[in-house]
Amino acid sequence: MAVRIDIEALRAEAGSVACAAADKLQAAGQPTEIVAVGGGASCVIREAGQPPYEVWVGVTADGFTVECDCPAGAELCGYAVALTAAALEDGFSWSSAATPPSAAEVDPRLTELAELARGIPARRLASLVAEWAATDRVLESRLRAHAGQLEPLTTGELDDIRRTIDNLAHQATSGDRWDLHDVEKAGRAIVEEVEVLAQRPPTHETLLLVERAARAWDGLAGYLWDAWETYEDEPAEIGGALRAAHVRLCEQVRPDPDDLAARLTEIIGAAEVDSCLDEPEDYLAVLGRDRVKAMRSRR
């Protein structure tokens, strides 16, 4: 269920110092991009002379909640006020039961490595990340996205990615000498293309392109499902990665829920075996309970 936020009451609670800081940030054009995360709004704010700060705001069971990288932490700081005001101006749809980033389940291994990274000198850590990013397209794209360097995909770039996905799907089973390893390799290459494009600012066109990639994999996955004794995990792993990227984009783009439900129903129905997008519960935040229930009933 969506809720409304009273920005004037929020500004009164934040106080004059935080509000003045928020007004200064907005006058400087910050934040430049707002994304939906866990039912709340998130952004990275860049201020001259200051490190970039990631901030999240949303309505949780505890009320209006803030998580920010700035020294204020969970307090109602200027960054949080600026984000909230900008999100309201953009018509952001607030969930009444948002989940802050800190509440999300994190692999203990990632937590351990994050703590390890915090103990490395910044210049050495930056060099280490750069070494890996130079050999990993997805990591390079994520690095550039966090640095604010990526623009929305152009029409030409969208066409190039579309052709790449189509070619990967076609070549996997073309000719007389292809084997199942070619199918798996094509699936992983499609996932890489999707994860690279998903780092760009989200658009409706990007969302449709990910749906095209899902259709392409749906057309290939059956070969691996038939060879389940050898490829027991790969179809679900590849399909799950595509679905996760699609769900994230849906939460960011916020497409019309009826249109999205209709497209998902068509994609799922067109799959020869099981579609990788056939997990309606994953789309609860963007479709709502009634549409999810209707999709489940069609199975």
Side-chain angles (χ1 to χ4, degrees), residues 175-198:
D176 299 326
R177 304 185 63 179
W178 66 274
D179 59 27
L180 293 177
H181 177 67
D182 295 322
V183 174
E184 180 195 358
K185 187 166 65 173
R188 296 194 184 281
I190 290 172
V191 168
E192 182 178 275
E193 291 297 324
V194 165
E195 290 183 343
V196 168
L197 73 87

Side-chain angles (χ1 to χ4, degrees), residues 31 93 95 129 137 143 188 200 202 211 219 259 265 280 285 298:
S93 180
S95 168
V129 172
R137 290 178 61 218
L143 181 61
R188 296 194 184 281
R200 305 293 280 268
E211 290 172 11
D259 289 344
T265 299
R298 294 192 183 99

Side-chain angles (χ1 to χ4, degrees), residues 13-32:
E13 181 181 348
S16 59
V17 174
C19 289
D23 293 341
K24 181 180 177 181
L25 289 168
Q26 286 196 279
Q30 293 292 322
T32 58

Side-chain angles (χ1 to χ4, degrees), residues 243 246-247 250 264 277 279-288 292:
R243 185 174 64 256
H246 185 245
V247 170
C250 286
L264 285 172
L277 302 187
E279 290 291 343
E281 290 80 3
D282 289 359
Y283 295 89
L284 181 62
V286 286
L287 290 179
V292 168

Side-chain angles (χ1 to χ4, degrees), residues 4-245:
R4 298 182 62 183
I5 293 177
D6 186 337
I7 186 60
E8 295 306 322
L10 192 68
R11 288 175 65 90
E13 181 181 348
S16 59
V17 174
C19 289
D23 293 341
K24 181 180 177 181
L25 289 168
Q26 286 196 279
Q30 293 292 322
T32 58
E33 179 187 355
I34 300 171
V35 297
V37 176
S42 179
C43 73
V44 175
I45 290 183
R46 293 176 171 83
E47 185 180 12
Q50 296 292 333
Y53 291 127
E54 186 170 13
V55 56
W56 181 93
V57 294
V59 180
T60 70
D62 297 324
F64 189 79
T65 303
V66 172
E67 290 190 356
C68 185
D69 289 340
C70 77
E75 296 179 8
L76 192 51
C77 59
Y79 301 103
V81 175
L83 169 57
T84 306
L88 289 171
E89 290 176 2
D90 288 350
F92 187 86
S93 180
W94 304 90
S95 168
S96 61
T99 303
S102 64
E105 291 187 12
V106 179
D107 187 329
R109 180 69 170 161
L110 293 179
T111 301
E112 176 191 354
L113 292 174
E115 289 297 323
L116 184 63
R118 291 188 182 96
I120 299 176
R123 185 167 57 179
R124 188 170 298 178
L125 181 60
S127 177
L128 180 62
V129 172
E131 288 176 11
W132 279 103
T135 60
D136 186 319
R137 290 178 61 218
V138 177
L139 180 56
E140 179 184 357
S141 295
R142 294 184 67 182
L143 181 61
R144 293 188 182 279
H146 284 302
Q149 289 189 354
L150 298 184
E151 299 292 334
L153 289 162
T154 65
T155 300
E157 289 173 324
L158 287 167
D159 289 341
D160 288 343
I161 297 172
R162 187 178 297 110
R163 281 191 291 270
T164 297
I165 290 171
D166 290 348
N167 288 338
L168 286 168
H170 172 71
Q171 293 171 6
T173 56
S174 63
D176 299 326
R177 304 185 63 179
W178 66 274
D179 59 27
L180 293 177
H181 177 67
D182 295 322
V183 174
E184 180 195 358
K185 187 166 65 173
R188 296 194 184 281
I190 290 172
V191 168
E192 182 178 275
E193 291 297 324
V194 165
E195 290 183 343
V196 168
L197 73 87
Q199 304 308 315
R200 305 293 280 268
T203 65
H204 185 70
E205 291 72 22
T206 303
L207 183 63
L208 294 179
L209 190 48
V210 174
E211 290 172 11
R212 188 185 188 96
R215 290 176 184 269
W217 176 243
D218 287 347
L220 295 174
Y223 293 106
L224 299 190
W225 286 120
D226 287 343
W228 60 269
E229 291 182 339
T230 303
Y231 293 92
E232 180 179 1
D233 301 321
E234 288 81 357
E237 179 185 339
I238 293 170
L242 292 172
R243 185 174 64 256

